[in-house]
Amino acid sequence: MWPWIVTALLVAWLAMGAWQRYKPLPEGLGQAFPERTAEGVRFLADETWYAPSGERHARRRIFDEAMALIGQAERLVVLDMFLFNDFAGAADGQDFRPLSAQLTDALVKRRSQRPALEAVVITDPLNTLYGGLAPAHLKRLREAGVTVVITDLTRLRASNPLWSGAWHLGPRWLGNHHDGGWLPNPLGPGKVPLRSYLSLLNFNANHRKTLVVDRGDGWSALVTSANPHDASSRHGNVALRFEGAAALDLLASERPVAGWSGVRLPGPGALDAPQAPVAGARLQVLTEGAIRRALLAAIEASDSGDRLDVAVFYLSHRELIEALVAARRRGVVLRVLLDPNRDAFGIEKGGIPNRPVARELHAAGVPIRWCVTQGEQCHSKLLLRRPADAGGEVEMILGSANFTRRNLDDLNLETSVRLVGPAGTEALIDAAAFFERRWHSTPPRITSEPFAAHDDASTGQWLRYRLMEATGLSTF
């Protein structure tokens, strides 16, 4: 009987893995909302640079803005953040900004000032090590009347089906509990059960980073690449703050995720699509696979003489890489600024995927530069397209999504925004200036270095990257 039992288990494993990889997406995911009039739009960035002596300088704006928005809310706050904790991993002991405590304080304070305020925090189960920990700040939020939603990742497709097929057949149903852990927390202090590790191997995530608040009779929102995570407080990041109908679209995009946990988000629904094309600067909310489609459309729309700038933490998606190479061949003036993938919270990484991808792009004639980092990460996710025609429209896409298979192929939950408008639009001018500051390193303000500084990718690394990207056996 054993051969039959083993065969049956193998078939069940493969069938479950295939189902989890290709099952229908939950309703409301992968949306491109209508283009809206861009109201109250401001580009924000967290930046780091170095003096010739090696002294680090920084300018941080994103979470100051987020906490200011929370501080003026009267009726509703909806916050969806991937990493919301004080874990530091091997980087413990460094002088990080206590973002998780500060954001918790801001929410609790506003709830005490406005008891009728409804506040909802949506976050990824990684912050509880998939049920293996009970973080004090999440308990404090609940005690203050804030609704805390731990995202149900089982609704998502499997990014690592080789493991998820087995996990959904067995370990998933064991549940988890924060008492009785005996294994070290891989991300910080405390002990966690084996079940936390088994959940971690699925590599799924609610990777969104969004905020929506009421503003009197109106609405304000923030979409960013930044996390309220202490050990991420030195990272370079970008964000877009905006108001109006697009903010209600962002609120609508969060309703399905909250609904998986039985939480109904209050507030008005998204408005109907405009009956006529919107004039002037336009803003569009994008989630999951719609982000990939918008990125590809922007690259493919670039023609000879157009400028295309990319600044991204991870670049590995094959379709995007091929589109960038094709754009270069068409005569697009292309620049790609990458993180060297060297640092991860005190642990030295091997440069995958960016270094083998950078070598491939460099060989195709694409100019590459590396962010200068000393422990922090160049964590932006930004594409900026500027036409050769001075009177043409500029396009920008930024948000939570790295340019990877997991982030763009409907595997993670992701949110980005697309801003299109005249070259004189202030947010687009500020985004272009941000890229120039990072790209053009100067002796008094060291921000980047040439491709040769990290041109050390081997054939083995390239093969590992391709295998990891194709199978999902990776953290990017």
Coordinates of all heavy atoms in Angstrom, one line a residue, residues 142-187:
R142 N -5.6 48.1 20.3 CA -6.9 47.5 20.5 C -7.5 48.1 21.8 O -8.7 48.4 21.8 CB -6.8 46.0 20.6 CG -6.4 45.3 19.3 CD -6.5 43.8 19.4 NE -6.2 43.1 18.2 CZ -5.0 42.6 17.8 NH1 -4.0 42.6 18.7 NH2 -4.9 42.0 16.7
E143 N -6.7 48.2 22.9 CA -7.2 48.7 24.1 C -7.7 50.2 24.0 O -8.6 50.6 24.7 CB -6.2 48.6 25.2 CG -5.9 47.2 25.6 CD -4.7 47.1 26.6 OE1 -3.9 48.1 26.7 OE2 -4.5 46.0 27.2
A144 N -7.1 50.9 23.0 CA -7.6 52.3 22.8 C -8.8 52.4 21.8 O -9.2 53.5 21.5 CB -6.4 53.1 22.2
G145 N -9.3 51.2 21.4 CA -10.5 51.2 20.5 C -10.2 51.2 19.1 O -11.1 51.4 18.2
V146 N -8.9 51.0 18.7 CA -8.5 50.9 17.3 C -8.8 49.5 16.8 O -8.4 48.5 17.5 CB -7.0 51.3 17.1 CG1 -6.6 51.1 15.6 CG2 -6.8 52.7 17.5
T147 N -9.4 49.3 15.7 CA -9.6 48.0 15.1 C -8.4 47.5 14.4 O -7.9 48.2 13.5 CB -10.8 48.0 14.1 OG1 -12.0 48.4 14.8 CG2 -11.0 46.6 13.5
V148 N -7.8 46.4 14.8 CA -6.6 45.9 14.2 C -6.9 44.7 13.4 O -7.5 43.7 13.9 CB -5.5 45.5 15.3 CG1 -4.3 44.9 14.7 CG2 -5.1 46.8 16.1
V149 N -6.6 44.7 12.1 CA -6.9 43.6 11.2 C -5.6 43.0 10.8 O -4.7 43.7 10.2 CB -7.6 44.2 9.9 CG1 -7.9 43.0 8.9 CG2 -9.0 44.8 10.3
I150 N -5.4 41.7 11.1 CA -4.3 40.9 10.6 C -4.7 40.3 9.3 O -5.6 39.4 9.3 CB -3.8 39.9 11.7 CG1 -3.5 40.6 13.0 CG2 -2.6 39.2 11.2 CD1 -2.4 41.6 13.0
T151 N -4.1 40.6 8.2 CA -4.5 40.2 6.9 C -4.6 38.7 6.8 O -3.6 38.0 7.2 CB -3.6 40.8 5.8 OG1 -3.5 42.2 6.0 CG2 -4.2 40.5 4.4
D152 N -5.6 38.2 6.2 CA -5.7 36.7 5.9 C -5.1 36.4 4.6 O -5.7 36.6 3.5 CB -7.2 36.3 5.9 CG -7.4 34.8 5.6 OD1 -6.4 34.1 5.5 OD2 -8.6 34.4 5.4
L153 N -3.8 36.0 4.7 CA -3.0 35.8 3.5 C -3.4 34.5 2.7 O -3.0 34.3 1.6 CB -1.5 35.7 3.8 CG -0.9 36.9 4.4 CD1 0.6 36.7 4.7 CD2 -1.1 38.2 3.6
T154 N -4.2 33.6 3.3 CA -4.7 32.4 2.6 C -5.6 32.8 1.4 O -5.8 31.9 0.6 CB -5.4 31.5 3.6 OG1 -6.6 32.1 4.1 CG2 -4.5 31.1 4.8
R155 N -6.1 34.0 1.4 CA -6.9 34.4 0.3 C -6.1 34.7 -1.0 O -6.6 34.7 -2.1 CB -7.7 35.7 0.6 CG -8.6 35.6 1.8 CD -9.8 34.6 1.5 NE -10.8 34.6 2.6 CZ -12.0 35.3 2.4 NH1 -12.2 35.9 1.3 NH2 -12.8 35.3 3.4
L156 N -4.8 34.8 -0.8 CA -3.9 35.2 -1.9 C -3.4 33.9 -2.6 O -3.4 32.8 -2.1 CB -2.7 36.0 -1.4 CG -3.0 37.3 -0.7 CD1 -1.7 38.0 -0.3 CD2 -3.9 38.2 -1.6
R157 N -2.9 34.1 -3.8 CA -2.3 33.0 -4.6 C -0.9 32.7 -4.0 O -0.3 33.6 -3.3 CB -2.1 33.4 -6.0 CG -3.4 33.4 -6.8 CD -3.2 34.0 -8.2 NE -4.5 34.0 -9.0 CZ -4.6 34.6 -10.1 NH1 -3.6 35.3 -10.7 NH2 -5.8 34.5 -10.8
A158 N -0.4 31.5 -4.2 CA 0.8 31.1 -3.6 C 2.0 31.6 -4.5 O 2.1 31.4 -5.7 CB 0.9 29.6 -3.6
S159 N 2.9 32.4 -3.8 CA 4.1 32.8 -4.5 C 5.2 31.7 -4.5 O 6.1 31.7 -5.3 CB 4.6 34.1 -3.9 OG 5.0 33.9 -2.6
N160 N 5.1 30.8 -3.5 CA 6.0 29.7 -3.4 C 5.2 28.4 -3.4 O 5.0 27.7 -2.4 CB 6.8 29.8 -2.1 CG 7.8 28.6 -1.9 OD1 8.0 27.8 -2.8 ND2 8.3 28.5 -0.7
P161 N 4.6 28.0 -4.6 CA 3.7 26.8 -4.6 C 4.4 25.5 -4.2 O 3.7 24.6 -3.8 CB 3.2 26.8 -6.0 CG 4.2 27.5 -6.8 CD 4.8 28.6 -5.9
L162 N 5.7 25.4 -4.4 CA 6.4 24.2 -4.0 C 6.2 23.8 -2.5 O 6.0 22.7 -2.1 CB 7.9 24.2 -4.3 CG 8.2 24.3 -5.8 CD1 9.7 24.5 -6.0 CD2 7.7 23.0 -6.5
W163 N 6.1 24.9 -1.7 CA 5.9 24.7 -0.3 C 4.4 24.8 0.1 O 3.9 24.1 0.9 CB 6.7 25.7 0.6 CG 6.2 25.7 2.0 CD1 5.6 26.8 2.6 CD2 6.2 24.7 3.0 NE1 5.3 26.5 3.9 CE2 5.6 25.2 4.1 CE3 6.6 23.3 2.9 CZ2 5.4 24.4 5.3 CZ3 6.4 22.5 4.1 CH2 5.8 23.1 5.2
S164 N 3.7 25.8 -0.6 CA 2.4 26.1 -0.2 C 1.4 24.9 -0.4 O 0.4 24.8 0.3 CB 1.9 27.3 -0.9 OG 2.6 28.5 -0.5
G165 N 1.7 24.1 -1.4 CA 0.9 22.9 -1.6 C 0.9 22.0 -0.4 O -0.2 21.6 0.0
A166 N 2.0 21.8 0.2 CA 2.1 21.0 1.4 C 1.5 21.7 2.6 O 0.8 21.1 3.4 CB 3.5 20.5 1.7
W167 N 1.8 23.0 2.7 CA 1.3 23.8 3.9 C -0.2 23.8 3.9 O -0.8 23.7 5.0 CB 1.9 25.2 3.8 CG 1.6 26.0 5.0 CD1 2.3 26.0 6.2 CD2 0.7 27.1 5.0 NE1 1.7 26.9 7.0 CE2 0.8 27.6 6.3 CE3 -0.3 27.6 4.2 CZ2 0.0 28.7 6.8 CZ3 -1.1 28.6 4.6 CH2 -1.0 29.2 5.9
H168 N -0.8 24.0 2.8 CA -2.3 24.1 2.8 C -3.0 22.7 3.1 O -4.1 22.7 3.5 CB -2.8 24.6 1.5 CG -2.8 26.1 1.4 ND1 -3.7 27.0 2.0 CD2 -1.8 26.9 0.8 CE1 -3.4 28.2 1.7 NE2 -2.3 28.2 1.0
L169 N -2.2 21.6 2.9 CA -2.8 20.3 3.2 C -2.7 20.0 4.6 O -3.4 19.1 5.1 CB -2.0 19.3 2.3 CG -2.4 19.2 0.8 CD1 -1.4 18.2 0.1 CD2 -3.8 18.8 0.6
G170 N -1.7 20.5 5.3 CA -1.5 20.1 6.7 C -1.2 21.2 7.7 O -2.1 21.6 8.5
P171 N 0.0 21.8 7.7 CA 0.4 22.7 8.8 C -0.5 23.9 9.0 O -0.7 24.4 10.1 CB 1.8 23.2 8.4 CG 2.3 22.1 7.5 CD 1.2 21.5 6.8
R172 N -1.1 24.4 7.9 CA -2.0 25.5 8.0 C -3.1 25.3 9.0 O -3.5 26.2 9.7 CB -2.7 25.8 6.6 CG -3.8 26.8 6.7 CD -4.5 27.0 5.4 NE -5.8 27.7 5.5 CZ -6.7 27.9 4.6 NH1 -6.5 27.3 3.4 NH2 -7.8 28.6 4.8
W173 N -3.6 24.1 9.1 CA -4.8 23.8 9.9 C -4.4 23.6 11.4 O -5.3 23.5 12.2 CB -5.5 22.6 9.4 CG -5.9 22.7 8.0 CD1 -5.2 22.2 6.9 CD2 -6.9 23.6 7.4 NE1 -5.8 22.6 5.7 CE2 -6.8 23.5 6.0 CE3 -7.9 24.4 8.0 CZ2 -7.7 24.2 5.2 CZ3 -8.8 25.0 7.2 CH2 -8.7 24.9 5.8
L174 N -3.1 23.6 11.7 CA -2.7 23.6 13.1 C -2.9 24.9 13.8 O -2.8 24.9 15.1 CB -1.2 23.1 13.2 CG -0.9 21.7 12.6 CD1 0.6 21.5 12.7 CD2 -1.6 20.7 13.3
G175 N -3.0 26.0 13.1 CA -3.1 27.3 13.7 C -1.8 27.7 14.3 O -0.7 27.1 14.0
N176 N -1.8 28.7 15.3 CA -0.6 29.1 15.9 C -1.0 29.8 17.2 O -2.2 30.2 17.4 CB 0.2 30.1 15.0 CG 1.7 30.1 15.4 OD1 2.1 29.5 16.4 ND2 2.5 30.7 14.5
H177 N -0.1 30.0 18.1 CA -0.4 30.7 19.4 C 0.9 31.3 19.9 O 2.0 30.8 19.7 CB -0.9 29.7 20.4 CG -1.7 30.5 21.5 ND1 -1.0 30.9 22.6 CD2 -3.0 30.8 21.6 CE1 -1.9 31.5 23.4 NE2 -3.1 31.5 22.8
H178 N 0.8 32.5 20.6 CA 2.0 33.2 21.0 C 2.6 32.6 22.3 O 3.6 33.1 22.8 CB 1.7 34.7 21.2 CG 0.5 35.0 22.1 ND1 0.7 35.0 23.5 CD2 -0.8 35.2 21.9 CE1 -0.5 35.3 24.0 NE2 -1.4 35.4 23.1
D179 N 1.9 31.6 22.9 CA 2.5 31.0 24.1 C 3.2 29.7 23.7 O 2.8 29.0 22.8 CB 1.3 30.6 25.1 CG 0.7 31.8 25.8 OD1 1.4 32.9 25.8 OD2 -0.4 31.8 26.2
G180 N 4.3 29.4 24.4 CA 4.9 28.1 24.2 C 6.0 28.1 23.1 O 6.4 27.0 22.6
G181 N 6.3 29.3 22.5 CA 7.4 29.3 21.5 C 8.7 28.8 22.0 O 9.1 29.1 23.1
W182 N 9.5 28.1 21.2 CA 10.8 27.6 21.6 C 11.9 27.9 20.6 O 13.1 27.6 20.9 CB 10.7 26.1 21.9 CG 10.2 25.3 20.7 CD1 8.9 25.2 20.2 CD2 11.0 24.6 19.7 NE1 8.9 24.4 19.1 CE2 10.1 24.0 18.8 CE3 12.4 24.3 19.6 CZ2 10.6 23.2 17.7 CZ3 12.8 23.5 18.6 CH2 11.9 23.0 17.6
L183 N 11.5 28.4 19.5 CA 12.5 28.8 18.5 C 12.8 30.3 18.5 O 11.9 31.1 18.8 CB 12.1 28.3 17.1 CG 12.0 26.8 16.8 CD1 11.3 26.6 15.5 CD2 13.3 26.2 16.9
P184 N 14.0 30.7 18.1 CA 14.3 32.2 18.1 C 13.5 32.9 17.1 O 13.3 32.4 15.9 CB 15.8 32.2 17.8 CG 16.1 30.9 17.1 CD 15.2 29.9 17.7
N185 N 13.0 34.1 17.4 CA 12.3 34.9 16.5 C 13.4 35.4 15.4 O 14.4 36.0 15.7 CB 11.8 36.2 17.2 CG 11.2 37.2 16.3 OD1 11.1 37.0 15.1 ND2 10.7 38.3 16.9
P186 N 13.2 35.0 14.1 CA 14.2 35.4 13.1 C 14.3 36.9 12.8 O 15.3 37.3 12.2 CB 13.7 34.6 11.9 CG 12.2 34.5 12.1 CD 12.0 34.3 13.5
L187 N 13.4 37.6 13.4 CA 13.3 39.1 13.1 C 13.6 40.0 14.3 O 13.7 41.2 14.1 CB 12.0 39.5 12.4 CG 11.6 38.7 11.1 CD1 10.3 39.2 10.6 CD2 12.7 38.9 10.1

